[in-house]
Amino acid sequence: MTSNLLALVVGCLLAVHPSLESFQERPSIALDHVVLAVNDLEATAARYRQFGFALKPGQPHANGIRNQHVKFTNGTELELLTAPKPADDLTTRYRQYLADGDGPAYLALFPRPTAPPRSEAPSYIFFGQRNQSPTDRPEHFAHRNTADNLIAVWLAGSDFKQERALLVKHGASGQTGRLDALNETSEMLSVTEGVVYFLPERLRVHRARPIIGVTFHVRVLQTAERVLNEAGVQFRTLPGSILLAPAVTGGLWIELTARRLPS
């Protein structure tokens, strides 16, 4: 059936049965991944293995970028990345970030059915398509800490007008909640299978970077705690979650929780 004929058929059906409109795909947005820029990729990757994450090595880039991936079966991930030297605009930006220390650089979101214009997103946000690759293997998802999903991203700043407009346009719903990990009241926007927290600027880890933390869901919190203890990793235990500090993780807060966040 050609696209024109299909559109005609759908239009006729909606004219007769307006309720069928609910079956059309409505705008939605989900978390995709966070890019953590680090100066020493190998040392950071070794540390994340101590945290109980399995890592998938990335492919070398022509501009010198190297990366490793903490992946989950739904396509969300944390990407560990380094840029040894400024070879183009992107690597130059990464070198500027890294001069200020390790830390999160970018947040990728997954919008559907189509990505909005790039101008609608702030410079640290871009759009991804969930990184599911034919080269993925079961061992890339076999995290010893039982992590299985990226479910929240924490942002800190004084003006989130652009971020809020972008998320709401794609169906996100807002409420006032609490980020117990930092004991902070926060505006939170629920996206598809996840949450974005908006926190005060005073909580920034790096002065110019809005991304300050992430939350991963784990199936068994006691297993995650045992893995960290066996590796001698410093962490804080909270009701229902474990918190790793930026000094340990490479510049961002990491929460491991067995609780499902509100949607």
Side-chain angles (χ1 to χ4, degrees):
M1 183 179 292
T2 66
S3 58
N4 288 339
L5 180 55
L6 179 60
L8 178 61
V9 170
V10 171
C12 292
L13 287 172
L14 288 175
V16 177
H17 298 287
S19 62
L20 290 176
E21 188 174 3
S22 62
F23 290 96
Q24 292 182 306
E25 187 170 15
R26 296 176 178 175
S28 66
I29 201 161
L31 303 177
D32 190 278
H33 71 282
V34 170
V35 181
L36 179 64
V38 298
N39 281 284
D40 190 331
L41 180 63
E42 286 69 30
T44 304
R47 195 179 318 147
Y48 273 73
R49 292 188 182 94
Q50 288 185 323
F51 300 161
F53 291 110
L55 273 74
K56 179 184 179 182
Q59 297 296 321
H61 295 56
N63 59 6
I65 282 177
R66 294 183 294 111
N67 56 7
Q68 296 202 38
H69 306 270
V70 176
K71 303 193 70 170
F72 304 104
T73 54
N74 67 350
T76 59
E77 70 167 281
L78 176 69
E79 179 182 5
L80 311 180
L81 180 149
T82 194
K85 60 182 180 180
D88 55 18
D89 289 345
L90 180 59
T91 50
T92 298
R93 287 197 298 275
Y94 273 122
R95 290 311 308 168
Q96 292 168 347
Y97 284 134
L98 291 171
D100 193 37
D102 293 359
Y106 292 101
L107 165 63
L109 298 173
F110 176 39
R112 299 186 69 178
T114 59
R118 184 67 190 84
S119 60
E120 293 188 9
S123 60
Y124 70 95
I125 292 179
F126 66 98
F127 304 114
Q129 291 295 322
R130 289 285 177 89
N131 184 9
Q132 294 168 311
S133 168
T135 61
D136 290 342
R137 297 289 181 266
E139 58 266 28
H140 298 145
F141 308 112
H143 304 294
R144 291 187 297 115
N145 59 18
T146 74
D148 60 8
N149 197 359
L150 169 66
I151 60 172
V153 173
W154 315 355
L155 306 178
S158 58
D159 180 8
F160 287 115
K161 185 182 300 182
Q162 191 175 19
E163 291 90 338
R164 191 180 295 110
L166 172 67
L167 296 174
V168 169
K169 178 180 177 179
H170 282 79
S173 58
Q175 58 182 297
T176 299
R178 189 164 192 84
L179 180 58
D180 293 330
L182 296 184
N183 196 28
E184 286 283 342
T185 299
S186 169
E187 179 186 1
M188 48 191 285
L189 284 180
S190 296
V191 298
T192 304
E193 300 177 347
V195 171
V196 177
Y197 290 101
F198 294 132
L199 297 155
E201 189 169 16
R202 61 180 166 77
L203 295 175
R204 284 194 175 180
V205 179
H206 293 278
R207 180 176 51 84
R209 302 191 208 176
I211 307 166
I212 68 164
V214 295
T215 302
F216 297 111
H217 180 263
V218 295
R219 295 186 302 278
V220 185
L221 191 63
Q222 293 84 350
T223 299
E225 185 172 352
R226 175 179 54 78
V227 168
L228 293 170
N229 276 322
E230 289 176 352
V233 176
Q234 293 183 339
F235 63 93
R236 186 150 54 100
T237 303
L238 305 169
S241 67
I242 289 169
L243 186 64
L244 300 172
V248 175
T249 66
L252 81 166
W253 294 97
I254 291 182
E255 180 187 26
L256 304 177
T257 183
R259 293 179 284 108
R260 292 291 181 183
L261 297 180
S263 58

